[in-house]
Amino acid sequence: MTDAPLSRREILAAGSTLAVLSAASLAGCAATGATTRSGRPADAPQAPFDTLRDYVAALDAHGLLLRIPEVDQDAFQATGLVFRANDRFSYFGVPALWFDRVKIDGQWVDGPLVGLLQGNLHTDAIVFGQPVVPGNGPASYRNAKAYLADLLKKNNGSYPQIPPVEITRDRALCKQVVLTGDDIDLTRYAFIQTNPTDAGRYVNTGSVFTNDPEMGGNFGTYRCQLKGPRLLGLNPEPNQTGWKMLMAARKRGEKVAKVSIALGQDPVVWFISGTRVANRFGDKPVDELAIAGGFRGKPVEVVKSETNDFLVPAHAEMIIEGEVPLQEKGLPEGPFGEMFGYMGPAKEENFFLNVTAVTHRRDPWIMNAFTGMQRGMVTSPQDALYDFFLRRAVPGLVEIYQPQDLMGVAIIAIDKKSPGEGLKAGRIVAERNPIAKVIIVVDKDVDVMDRTQVLFAVGSRWQPLPASELFKDLTGIITDPSQPVQGRTSKIVIDATIQLPEEGGRADFPATNRALLEQGAPE
């Protein structure tokens, strides 16, 4: 298991696990020709990346792309490969996956279909142009996080903004092919059904552009069930901005809401689409494309949609445009495998989109989110932002980490100086962070990204009484399957810091064997 950039030799040596697979597991998989075309990172496109293709080329140069000629998704081979990649390389050490073509409903569909594009911890450094540390994903991740923390410090807790720039349609790569009317058939592209029990094929990596006269513009990632050549389900959740905008338009009596969906975005637009790094709680609307420009250090080039006024990323792989009926009964949608790693419920009635136009690059690339099986996007921007504001409430904060493969768990390291600081820090996180359900507080000598160190601290420094605090009813995230009442959850704070005598701890708590060796024989 490794999180180092993968060499051609290493990827090919893993063929029995990832590419060829064993006859007993995925018999008949056609991925016997899996290859990587790694060059040198210095020769690859560099951040900021204007297109998805430039970013994938950079992954390839770092040895982080596994190319597979064919997969039979009727047999869910692509999904199986994702789990095999996690098993072989670890959740945060996976390469991105590329499939040249995919069997869907008995037919071979040309791709490429790509996934796991921001799963590896090295991708945080690649996306933001920071040093990649070979063999040490957490170090690469922390390089990106330090860079982003500096951006926040220089901008008083906000990420900088550079407004987008509109370009002419002849320069926009997403306008190379324009389809309207009966020429539109979304079923012919490599959108897949990820799980056997999903409701069907999904467009699940789109940035859905909506607008509201008071809230301004927004784009967010909401799953879209492929229901026909020109029909998509649309699933913003009630806590998401897109849902609030559609409901406000419905309340105003509007018959339809115009929508554009950008697919195959550059990596910065993609992670902003699925996170809350944009502060939408201020006095005026936020231009998320301007925030994307600030992250990139250069403007996002945008172009006007064909059938509405939305300005969308000009160099996306595809733009889907349409109308959401607001006064009609919705359509059934779901179930769908959710981010917690469990199947979510079906919905009897949900928004849907009548597609009016599709524009795309020639031979468009399709990206799939293997939701609940991968880290869907780089997380250092969220962690850096949360860290910045948490330090105001927790002065002794060293670092906080929320591992995406342990959804619901948050780990905090503090420089503990006085009694009660551990439980206080955990309490603040429990009350403010809806995802954090199990909050583990450790001392500054514990690496929050090292599971062994964290569990070592829990096992050897924590006493369940009195170093725990339970909360009966706090805000939770709605995709947590354990909640009896959706959106409400109990929580626990585990203070795994060394307990001071005033907290009932030992006055002579021993040093670890390793610490004693480092002190007594540093060589």
Side-chain angles (χ1 to χ4, degrees):
M1 184 169 67
T2 179
D3 57 11
L6 305 174
S7 68
R8 176 184 177 87
R9 177 179 298 176
E10 183 177 10
I11 289 180
L12 295 181
S16 61
T17 307
L18 281 172
V20 181
L21 300 176
S22 65
S25 58
L26 289 180
C29 180
T32 54
T35 62
T36 176
R37 302 177 189 172
S38 303
R40 294 185 306 164
D43 298 332
Q46 302 294 314
F49 303 101
D50 291 328
T51 70
L52 172 67
R53 302 186 188 196
D54 286 343
Y55 172 62
V56 172
L59 295 181
D60 199 5
H62 281 86
L64 292 175
L65 181 68
L66 180 65
R67 297 172 181 265
I68 300 167
E70 296 178 346
V71 284
D72 181 356
Q73 191 57 12
D74 290 343
F76 298 98
Q77 289 180 348
T79 309
L81 280 165
V82 170
F83 283 113
R84 286 297 187 102
N86 288 340
D87 293 344
R88 168 65 180 85
F89 296 108
S90 84
Y91 190 90
F92 297 111
V94 290
L97 298 179
W98 163 301
F99 307 107
D100 282 308
R101 65 176 191 158
V102 188
K103 184 179 278 188
I104 300 172
D105 296 333
Q107 302 294 319
W108 286 106
V109 179
D110 288 335
L113 174 71
V114 294
L116 303 185
L117 295 188
Q118 296 185 12
N120 192 293
L121 286 180
H122 292 302
T123 61
D124 289 76
I126 294 169
V127 167
F128 299 109
Q130 299 305 300
V132 172
V133 183
N136 194 334
S140 295
Y141 179 85
R142 284 178 168 130
N143 283 342
K145 188 176 174 183
Y147 164 74
L148 296 166
D150 188 57
L151 280 184
L152 290 168
K153 183 178 179 181
K154 292 176 179 177
N155 290 275
N156 195 30
S158 297
Y159 286 117
Q161 299 186 31
I162 300 177
V165 172
E166 186 174 2
I167 64 172
T168 57
R169 57 181 296 118
D170 60 297
R171 292 180 51 216
L173 295 175
C174 72
K175 300 286 189 180
Q176 289 177 339
V177 177
V178 178
L179 303 172
T180 58
D182 292 338
D183 291 333
I184 300 171
D185 185 1
L186 291 176
T187 67
R188 69 184 182 88
Y189 301 97
F191 301 115
I192 65 172
Q193 179 176 343
T194 303
N195 299 289
T197 50
D198 283 351
R201 297 164 65 185
Y202 270 83
V203 178
N204 64 9
T205 58
S207 294
V208 181
F209 283 74
T210 54
N211 189 66
D212 180 87
E214 294 184 2
M215 291 179 270
N218 179 72
F219 62 87
T221 297
Y222 319 124
R223 69 180 192 240
C224 300
Q225 185 179 343
L226 183 57
K227 292 181 171 291
R230 289 183 288 172
L231 183 64
L232 290 174
L234 182 62
N235 182 66
E237 296 289 353
N239 63 318
Q240 294 174 318
T241 306
W243 186 88
K244 295 174 183 177
M245 289 184 174
L246 293 176
M247 294 301 291
R250 173 181 286 175
K251 188 175 181 180
R252 291 193 299 268
E254 297 176 17
K255 293 185 176 181
V256 298
K258 301 279 189 177
V259 166
S260 285
I261 305 174
L263 303 169
Q265 318 86 317
D266 75 73
V268 170
V269 170
W270 163 242
F271 86 73
I272 289 176
S273 183
T275 63
R276 289 190 177 274
V277 295
N279 179 11
R280 302 197 65 86
F281 303 102
D283 297 330
K284 58 183 181 179
V286 174
D287 185 350
E288 291 174 313
L289 288 173
I291 293 174
F295 275 112
R296 288 160 42 85
K298 61 184 288 192
V300 176
E301 293 188 335
V302 295
V303 67
K304 187 178 178 181
S305 299
E306 296 290 306
T307 59
N308 59 55
D309 293 329
F310 286 112
L311 294 174
V312 293
H315 307 309
E317 292 291 320
M318 179 181 290
I319 306 295
I320 300 172
E321 303 173 23
E323 298 177 344
V324 179
L326 296 173
Q327 307 303 327
E328 299 180 20
K329 180 179 174 62
L331 297 177
E333 188 271 332
F336 180 80
E338 286 288 1
M339 59 184 286
F340 257 79
Y342 293 86
M343 189 58 51
K347 299 188 177 183
E348 294 182 4
E349 185 178 348
N350 213 344
F351 292 112
F352 63 92
L353 179 75
N354 292 313
V355 178
T356 55
V358 172
T359 70
H360 61 72
R361 294 187 66 167
R362 283 183 286 273
D363 302 319
W365 295 16
I366 303 299
M367 180 169 68
N368 186 68
F370 292 88
T371 311
M373 312 169 202
Q374 65 167 112
R375 187 179 74 140
M377 67 279 298
V378 294
T379 52
S380 51
Q382 300 161 266
D383 283 351
L385 186 65
Y386 190 54
D387 184 288
F388 182 90
F389 287 103
L390 189 61
R391 287 182 186 279
R392 298 181 178 181
V394 184
L397 179 70
V398 175
E399 188 173 14
I400 182 168
Y401 183 55
Q402 300 177 86
Q404 296 293 297
D405 60 331
L406 299 179
M407 197 65 64
V409 176
I411 306 162
I412 318 166
I414 63 170
D415 185 5
K416 185 176 177 179
K417 300 293 187 183
S418 59
E421 287 184 343
L423 287 177
K424 179 182 177 182
R427 187 180 309 120
I428 290 169
V429 173
E431 293 172 346
R432 296 185 180 186
N433 187 333
I435 297 179
K437 183 173 64 176
V438 179
I439 301 96
I440 302 172
V441 187
V442 295
D443 292 297
K444 64 180 180 179
D445 64 323
V446 177
D447 183 348
V448 295
M449 297 183 73
D450 187 317
R451 307 289 171 80
T452 299
Q453 290 191 35
V454 171
L455 291 178
F456 175 76
V458 171
S460 62
R461 301 183 184 185
W462 175 56
Q463 278 289 301
L465 284 175
S468 307
E469 186 168 0
L470 285 169
F471 300 86
K472 184 177 180 180
D473 183 34
L474 291 176
T475 301
I477 187 167
I478 61 175
T479 52
D480 179 353
S482 70
Q483 296 171 357
V485 178
Q486 194 176 44
R488 306 301 299 179
T489 185
S490 56
K491 298 190 178 187
I492 185 170
V493 174
I494 295 171
D495 180 9
T497 61
I498 294 174
Q499 297 297 286
L500 301 175
E502 299 92 327
E503 298 171 305
R506 293 174 53 175
D508 59 343
F509 199 93
T512 66
N513 294 338
R514 177 166 183 150
L516 292 172
L517 175 67
E518 291 172 347
Q519 294 168 15
E523 296 300 325

